Every structure is written in C-alpha cells, then in structure tokens.
Amino acid sequence: MTQIKIIKNFLSKENKNFINTVLLSSNFPYYLSEYDAQHPHDANVPSYKVLCHSVLKRKEDRIKPGFNSEHYKPTLNILNNFFIKAGITKVNFHRICYNYTFNIGVRKSYIHEDHAYPHSQAILYLSKVLDKDTPTVILNKKNKVIKKIKYEMDKGVIFDKTPHYHVFPRKGARLVLVATFNKIN
C-alpha cells in the first residue's frame, strides 16, 4: 500500500516572499518542457507540455554534478522547511523542478511515475489557484484512484513511486515544486 503524507503550513515568510517576488514574477525563467524518453508519452500531445524551471536536473540527465539554477538556495530552504515539518531529516535528491501549469485545452496530464527506479516524491503547492478543482491524483498499480490531493497553497504531499497525474486548472495557473528523492538513514 502506498504511504501518503500531507503536510500543511510549512512556508516561512521568507519562502512566501521568494514565491511572490521571484517565482511568480513576469521575469522568472520557465521553459517549455521537452519530450522525455523516460516517460511513455507522445511529445506532440499538448497535455504533456508544461512550463518548468529545473533547479536540479534528473540524475540520469546530468552531464555534470550540481544545481542547474541560481535559485537553488531559496528552493532548498522551502524544501528544508517542508521536510522538517514532515519529520524527514536527510534526503538524496534525484530531481528538483518548478512546474507552472495552466489551461492548455486538456483536463489532465498523463498518468506517470517520475523515474523508472525506486524513489519518493514531494509535491508542494506554492500559489493560490482560481480553479479549486486541480488535484493531484494518486493511483494504484492498476490505475485505480487511491487519493485525490486538493490543491491548496502552502500544502504538500509525499508518496513513494506510484502512478499519478494532475488536473490542469480551467482558469488561472498552479505553481508546484516537485522533488524526487530517497531518504537517507
């Protein structure tokens, strides 16, 4: 059975200021996602395109070690606050990425697992959303719904490698921070 842990109210004033003045500014660099051979999807289908800002590239895609973004310190601060509240002390990150999604003419993303190898996943909701019906949906191995996580700013969820998808907002946008990792004992 998939373990699902929901954490609320982890953002500090400093985190919220970074989100509002940097991540949600018109100058922050988000990039259209590219086809990823790790995922079984068609790159030409619009539901597979989102705006992303990669802070730490997937470990399988890194040419050199280190962070991919100058915004890694405030991002790690957000993640640290989240993990402290979740009772997790040490992690090894596989990937850290901001995903900025909005109405692209389809209702949901493809069903996927972020990596082929074992990992845990944290999805942190960082912005207010106009469309309240934009959950993350966690599935079992037979693609039956286990849990729908309602999108709310300053809320996050942790779960192990399992199929999932998200619902695109009909109006407005949603900003999430996705981090895949393994716990270190």
Side-chain angles (χ1 to χ4, degrees), residues 34-154:
E34 296 181 28
Y35 176 73
D36 180 356
Q38 299 290 327
H39 292 258
H41 64 268
D42 180 347
N44 297 314
V45 177
S47 64
Y48 307 131
K49 297 192 186 306
V50 298
L51 294 179
C52 298
H53 181 89
S54 177
V55 176
L56 181 67
K57 288 185 177 188
R58 294 173 184 272
K59 70 178 189 176
E60 55 270 26
D61 293 339
R62 286 182 222 146
I63 296 170
K64 59 182 181 177
F67 292 98
N68 189 57
S69 171
E70 66 185 74
H71 302 287
Y72 73 93
K73 285 182 182 177
T75 301
L76 290 176
N77 186 273
I78 292 170
L79 287 166
N80 187 50
N81 290 342
F82 176 76
F83 284 126
I84 287 170
K85 192 138 187 196
I88 298 171
T89 55
K90 285 188 152 190
V91 300
N92 178 34
F93 288 110
H94 304 300
R95 172 179 164 244
I96 303 171
C97 183
Y98 291 103
N99 288 345
Y100 194 68
T101 59
F102 46 89
N103 186 343
I104 60 168
V106 296
R107 193 62 185 130
K108 64 180 188 148
S109 70
Y110 59 93
I111 295 170
H112 66 283
E113 295 177 0
D114 282 42
H115 304 286
Y117 48 84
H119 65 279
S120 293
Q121 178 146 348
I123 300 176
L124 286 58
Y125 306 123
L126 301 181
S127 65
K128 292 180 182 173
V129 67
L130 296 173
D131 183 354
K132 302 293 184 199
D133 186 24
T134 60
T136 298
V137 181
I138 301 172
L139 309 167
N140 66 16
K141 297 296 179 190
K142 295 182 180 180
N143 289 340
K144 300 291 181 199
V145 175
I146 296 173
K147 182 98 173 157
K148 287 185 179 183
I149 312 297
K150 182 180 176 184
Y151 184 102
E152 297 173 55
M153 183 180 174
D154 205 356

